[in-house]
Amino acid sequence: MKSFGVALGGGGARGLAHILALEAIDESGIMPSAIAGTSMGAIIGTLYASGLSGEQIRKGFAKHAISKDDHLKDIFSKSGDIFKWLQAVRPEVKRGGLLRADGLLRYLFEEIRVKTFEELKFPLHIVTTDFWSGQEVIFNRGELLPAIKASMAIPGVFAPVSYKGRVLVDGGLVNNVPYDVLPPYCDCTIAIDVAPLRKPDRHRVPSMLDSVLGMFDMLIEHNVAAKLAISPPTIYIRPGFANIRLLDFNKHEEVFRQSAASMEELRVKLQRVIAEQGA
């Protein structure tokens, strides 16, 4: 039996596509031996490694996500959860970011009911970046909270995290699709890249936030492309999202729609690998 490792990339709202990828993996009958995640991939990866299935994660998200098909009574029934999310993300300018994620992460931990890597069902590796050295810092033991918080600390958006003498920021700066940090015992690696498609719009001048996030996306794309050219994963899936920015969580239905074809591609590739390698 071959062992599979899954890498979930960063990408803010686009990372919700990881839920569909995990559902496809569950349907294939594969039980991953390890997960590696960066930023939003670290959040979804933590939920999965805690024992939740892809379907359970999707249902949990649906509890507080407003759909365009929701009636007024549905919106009111979700208001308690929505209020928690709105309270979770608050402005924090003084510490180097526009938003703070403490409340969001506390709410996450209420859902998964675990606090350390050791309590997870299988190994999880979370990627962060040391701001001053530019080195990759990987968490796979101890407290989960600082690791997740640092991994999603997009420069200029979320405040950096000070932890054990280091200042840590988003792992996407050094390794946004971290299939290469999966343990060597993973015979097959599955990488889900939720980077956007960059389409020129020469008549639109980007806002300050769009400029920051756009530069972040460009850096990430070049880094991932260089790594893929040297040593690609067994399966690589990139939906290629259009017009969905990092913080467009209100576009979750569009994320699912745009990633649907790629998830069918993932299903086909999984079955092929399983057949070829006798997993």
Side-chain angles (χ1 to χ4, degrees), residues 241-244 250-259:
F241 296 100
N243 300 316
I244 299 176
N250 61 313
K251 295 184 178 180
H252 57 277
E253 292 178 325
E254 184 64 12
V255 171
F256 292 156
R257 187 190 69 78
Q258 289 192 29
S259 58

Side-chain angles (χ1 to χ4, degrees), residues 6 20-30 32 48 190 266 270:
V6 180
L20 303 190
L22 293 174
E23 285 187 307
I25 290 169
D26 290 341
E27 290 167 12
S28 73
I30 291 171
Y48 194 67
I190 304 164
L266 173 59
L270 284 171

Side-chain angles (χ1 to χ4, degrees), residues 228-248:
L228 287 170
I230 296 171
S231 179
T234 311
I235 296 175
Y236 174 74
I237 299 294
R238 180 182 177 182
F241 296 100
N243 300 316
I244 299 176
R245 297 178 298 179
L246 279 166
L247 303 178
D248 283 345

